[in-house]
Amino acid sequence: MKFSFESLLNAGGSRLTYGLLNLRILGWILYGFTRPGILVPSQILSQIIRIGVQAIPMASLVSLSVGFILAMQSSTELGKMGADSFIPDLVSLSLMRELGPLLVAIIVVGRSGSAVAAELGTMKVNEEIEALRVMAIDPIRYLVVPRFIALMIMLPCMTVFGNCIGLVGGWAVCTLEMGMPSSFYIMRAMQRPELWDLFSGLIKTAVFAHIIITIACYQGLNVEGGAEGVGRATTSAVVYSILWIIIADTILTGLFYFIL
Amino acid sequence: MSPTSKKTNPSSDVILEVKDLVQSYNGRAVLNGLNFKVRKGETFVIMGGSGCGKTTLLRILIGAQKPTSGSVYLFGEDITKASSQELDRIRLRFGMNFQFGALFQSMTVGENIALPLQEHSQVDPSLIEMIVKMKLELVGLTGFENFKPSELSGGMRKRVGLARALALDPELLFSDEPTSGLDPVMTAVVDQLTLDSTRKIGVTAVVVSHDMASCFRIATHMLMLGSGPRQGEIIAEGTPDEIRANPDPFLQQFVRGEADGPIAFRLSQDDYLKHLLQEG
Ligand SMILES: Nc1ncnc2c1ncn2[C@@H]1O[C@H](COP(=O)(O)OP(=O)(O)OP(=O)(O)O)[C@@H](O)[C@H]1O
Ligand SMILES: [Mg+2]
């Protein structure tokens, strides 16, 4: 059989399993690079704003708090050993490798994953998805792909931003509470992490973004049975996303720890 | 050639043909072996009681649902066996007006109508804006471009749905109860719009309706689906005059809108008692 990107677009006929959803998203993105008009920048931008930018305040608040918490918790233990000077290292490493990606992803699940599942589910119930199909507009291309691209771009950006805010939280505790000089904090926090620490966090973030958006879209597009079904899909999207994020985090951390 | 005139070879201008169509849900046949043809230029009205399967039939005709068995030839192609790409190509040739509008809630009325144009035509935005205004004018909604569907009444939504279905100037229009929920004036406006589209532009229309006055006003061909004991079969088919003259008591009850007759709206006294006394 001849292989083409187009064959991915309708893989599996009218059924939509999770695997097929992924295949079709991939197909449309690859197809979109070869042909203009398939990936619409204005739609991607509006999704970036709706599912990314609007979640930034909440993600920032959580990151700031985590910065505070990390610095305060570690200061009691490290202080006993006279290792106060390692607090900035600890704050920046934990944020970059683990807590930044994880917490921002969980905020985005609650804020944007649920919204996407509810929105697509409501469209399904209102026959809007059906109407798109009848107009020969593929719902995956028109609804899912812009959201997918938007989150794949925005989650890493928000994570890096959240990391910076978290470092500010740690700085506030170290300088204002423990009297550490600002220059010392900044030097330690910036010098200790290597590029790989940032990258490993970003790899996790990309995987989390994929999990969040595909599960939300899958749950939304498969809603059956009115408003009750929309509620169920939204709950499932949040629960399964968080579950898979934590499983993926464990696997990735294990990979980075044992193999690299 | 006038669109309504019959050609010598009738099979050549058949736009839609349904063969042995069966749709069952959980073993209950809602549509049971339907056969009919729609010819170019006709206004084909499908009538029938609530729940008799009109929407189901329409969904199968537009390829939104695969029937249990049977075939549907649309523009000569069997859509029950067509691939998604083939279906999409066929779908550009017809418009569908959904029973409950199915408007995109997140978009304005104008954006709803503009969407098919943006996606499927190379027309530039200023022209699209003009076409949107024209289509809204057709359905009596001038000036409502920037309203959200949630800010409209049910009848207004239906008319936006009709305007959207006509956006690409389709050859074939499917309309699911376009006039239910409209006042008498708007019913006449929508009927006139269907008439204008079919008689003047040559659009073929397949309209589902149970408003008898409206049916007889627009139809060139009518089909009545049975319900109750005659669920799933075609009760009568023909021109409006043939339907009026058809002596079938089931059909006559429907056409005259009477409560008493073979269409059982209630159980008989005995059946009612039996039903009440049944366990579970
Ligand atoms: N997805 C489904 N699963 C099971 N039964 C269904 C389904 N969809 C429709 N039905 C049944 O099929 C029958 C026909 O429904 P349909 O919506 O086609 O009726 P209708 O003729 O359009 O009625 P109305 O005039 O009230 O719109 C109903 O009895 C309904 O219970
Ligand atoms: Mg119906």
Side-chain angles (χ1 to χ4, degrees), chain B residues 3-4 41 43 194-203 217-220:
Chain B
T4 45
T43 305
T194 313
L195 281 174
D196 287 348
S197 311
T198 51
R199 306 285 144 76
K200 291 187 189 152
I201 314 172
V203 175
R217 194 153 41 198
I218 59 174
T220 59

Side-chain angles (χ1 to χ4, degrees), chain B residues 3-263:
Chain B
T4 45
S5 75
K6 286 235 158 59
K7 270 199 188 176
T8 41
N9 177 6
S11 67
S12 70
D13 58 0
V14 169
I15 263 190
L16 171 67
E17 181 169 4
V18 171
K19 275 189 186 157
D20 302 321
L21 187 70
V22 176
Q23 175 67 54
S24 27
Y25 291 116
N26 314 318
R28 186 174 72 105
V30 172
L31 303 172
N32 201 354
L34 303 189
N35 285 288
F36 62 86
K37 284 178 187 164
V38 178
R39 296 192 164 76
K40 195 164 166 45
E42 269 182 346
T43 305
F44 193 96
V45 173
I46 299 168
M47 308 177 291
S50 189
C52 74
K54 303 184 296 297
T55 300
T56 306
L57 175 58
L58 222 48
R59 285 175 53 82
I60 295 171
L61 296 187
I62 62 173
Q65 177 177 339
K66 290 252 185 289
T68 311
S69 69
S71 4
V72 175
Y73 295 89
L74 201 51
F75 303 111
E77 290 178 71
D78 187 353
I79 59 162
T80 58
K81 296 190 180 63
S83 72
S84 307
Q85 277 108 330
E86 288 165 342
L87 252 183
D88 277 354
R89 195 165 32 72
I90 299 171
R91 279 167 168 164
L92 294 180
R93 300 174 67 181
F94 67 78
M96 167 77 182
N97 178 19
F98 285 83
Q99 184 169 9
F100 302 105
L103 301 179
F104 304 114
Q105 303 288 328
S106 60
M107 298 183 194
T108 64
V109 165
E111 289 165 346
N112 262 283
I113 301 171
L115 182 65
L117 293 159
Q118 286 161 352
E119 290 288 325
H120 296 304
S121 68
Q122 269 72 51
V123 182
D124 65 74
S126 60
L127 193 55
I128 289 185
E129 206 174 306
M130 206 152 85
I131 298 175
V132 167
K133 284 199 177 117
M134 280 160 54
K135 299 293 171 189
L136 278 176
E137 211 276 326
L138 278 181
V139 295
L141 286 172
T142 306
F144 282 92
E145 288 95 325
N146 295 319
F147 280 59
K148 284 277 172 77
S150 58
E151 297 164 332
L152 301 179
S153 76
M156 289 157 95
R157 274 178 228 168
K158 298 205 79 140
R159 285 182 280 149
V160 176
L162 182 57
R164 188 178 67 181
L166 291 171
L168 285 175
D169 294 321
E171 295 164 56
L172 175 60
L173 170 71
F174 291 100
S175 215
D176 196 352
E177 301 194 14
T179 59
S180 71
L182 299 189
D183 66 51
V185 176
M186 272 308 147
T187 302
V189 167
V190 167
D191 284 346
Q192 194 58 49
L193 181 60
T194 313
L195 281 174
D196 287 348
S197 311
T198 51
R199 306 285 144 76
K200 291 187 189 152
I201 314 172
V203 175
T204 308
V206 176
V207 182
V208 160
S209 179
H210 42 213
D211 175 350
M212 294 317 299
S214 165
C215 285
F216 282 109
R217 194 153 41 198
I218 59 174
T220 59
H221 203 91
M222 299 171 109
L223 180 143
M224 166 108 187
L225 287 177
S227 55
R230 297 177 72 177
Q231 177 79 46
E233 55 177 298
I234 294 176
I235 298 227
E237 196 200 328
T239 63
D241 291 331
E242 286 166 3
I243 291 290
R244 270 199 208 89
N246 194 310
D248 189 305
F250 200 94
L251 179 68
Q252 284 309 317
Q253 183 193 353
F254 198 83
V255 170
R256 290 201 217 96
E258 289 158 346
D260 293 317
I263 303 176

